[in-house]
Amino acid sequence: MLMPVMDGFQLCRALRANIDFKDIYFIAVSATFLEESDKEFILQLGADKYISKLDGFDDLVITLKEMKSGTLITGGVFKKPVSDEEFNDTHRDKLLRKLEVKINELEETNNKLKIEIEERKKAEIKISENEKSLNTLFQVSPIHLAIVDFNSNKVIKVNKSCLDFHKTTTTDFSNFKTMDVYVNPNDADIVRAKLKEFGRIDNLKLHLRRLGTGETCWGLVSYAPIEYNEYTDAVLVSVVDIDDMHKAEEEIKHSHELLKFHRDNSSLGYIEWDNDFRIKKWSKSAEKVFGWKAEELIGKTFSEWKFVHEDDLEKVSRLIENVSTGISTKNDYVNKNYTKDGEIIHCSWYNTVLLDENKNLVTMFSLVEDITEREIFEIRMKESEHELRELNATKDKFFSILAHDLRSPFLALQGYSDLLLAEAQESLTEEAKEYTTSINRTIKRLFGLLENLLQWARVQTGKMVQNPEITNLGDLITNSILLLKSNADSKSITVSNNCAENVSVYCDKLMIDTVIRNLLSNALKFTNENGKVIIDVNLRESEIEVAVIDNGIGMDESRIEKLFKIDEQVIEPGTSGERGTGLGLILCKELVEKNKGQIWVESKFGEGSKFAFTLPKKSD
């Protein structure tokens, strides 16, 4: 028992030395196990019994009951008081031993404290290093990181990625609050509620505002509570910029919606089959083709309802076998199918197969088109083709008759007419001369019509042989002027050739000779007496323009629009009553285009016309 003035040994000696207390029981109670010498010494000093608390309270209770009943057997050996010298020596030795034990205990405790202090210092250094590392990781992290005070929403600290995310260089976020980043203010309340409920939030997709520019974007935001310096309710906010990903997702979503729209509204039905050839998808466009709705067919094979016509069952079964065994991964075919109403339609199927890495069937995609009308049209086309071949054969026979059975008699008739006209000048009356002249003119016009018709027919049927070559353009123009000189002289019309010498073009000489002659003949026909016709030639970089210009009666827009059209023939008499064939300009257009040129007209009623065409200078 350690007390401020004396210990248990001293107390026991003092009580036994006082005669007033010699009959009082003295029980020594220790919180620890004493050494045997200590036990003997306390009993020697007059203690009646020694009890250790470590033995429990039962022994103490028994001892107290014995004391009360007077039956306590004391173990004291007290015979006489221990001398001061003896007590002091013994007591000092015991105190020294106890002191030595305490010193040892203190040294052991001190060593433990030293070790603990050293370990704490190392831990503090490690914590400091970790804090530096964490701060470095915080700053260099590619993820936008910010530490905010949960209570005030104030921004405490941000990293560089956060500055980049907000497109700002400022490091002063003291004026910003976390709610400033939310495009939708309600999101701030949602975040606070979730944090209170769950303690943290992971990967919440939010529409955010960049504080530097005010632009909006999408981010994947996480919130985690932390302690930071004096802020015990801080929150670590991390944001992954998913704006590009969001846009890509929106584009993919839009593409899927667009694909679905086209799939449902296309004239082609869209069907997906699984690896057992059961229907997985049946589009609205397929419903339009066949009549069945998707809910009626999903999960069925084609053999579970009347779909494929009996004539094509074997063909379709063979196709499925080829697809199942990997022989065919893409195929197109036509077969007959039934509609929901029982109608038989002709369908064109386009199938594509998706295989897994082991070449096993995953899905077959089918596009199907109702080609019933096309089939009927093709049948009619074949019939029309047969009829057209017969008509062409009849037409060729007709042109053959024109060429051989009509042309030769017309040549003879024209010769007789020319002879009759020459001799009529001396022997016939004036009236007979007029008839003879009229007959001669009519025969020549009809012969010109026949020639144009035969030449146009040869162009249309591809029987006109084209022989392009480098040709002197001036010679072609001169020949046409000489050939039609009598026509010009009869109306006193001046014809001018403005083509320079040695101008060459690449063309079929006979074809272009026909074009120039027809255009010059037309110009003379629609020019008044004493008029002028000019044949003008302009050289360009890769082509030559030939123009036949007259100051005749001209044309209005309505007549110009009808020119060069086979179904809009315009036959007008010339200024002296000359009659045309109606095929001259149409033939000119065909011949010019066969020689890789273009033809056009410019005219104004009452002022004259300009018919022009182009020809290449040389072969391509």
Side-chain angles (χ1 to χ4, degrees), residues 597-620:
Q598 292 180 318
I599 188 168
W600 68 94
V601 60
E602 300 170 12
S603 185
K604 192 170 183 181
F605 185 73
E607 295 184 8
S609 301
K610 172 184 174 181
F611 285 82
F613 64 93
T614 58
L615 292 171
K617 284 185 177 180
K618 57 183 180 179
S619 173
D620 292 338

Side-chain angles (χ1 to χ4, degrees), residues 395-430:
K395 180 196 68 176
D396 291 344
K397 188 174 182 180
F398 172 72
F399 283 132
S400 177
I401 292 171
L402 288 179
H404 299 287
D405 297 348
L406 288 181
R407 192 172 183 277
S408 297
F410 256 106
L411 282 172
L413 190 59
Q414 183 176 333
Y416 290 135
S417 176
D418 289 340
L419 182 61
L420 181 61
L421 184 61
E423 294 181 355
Q425 300 301 321
E426 299 178 356
S427 59
L428 297 180
T429 63
E430 290 299 323

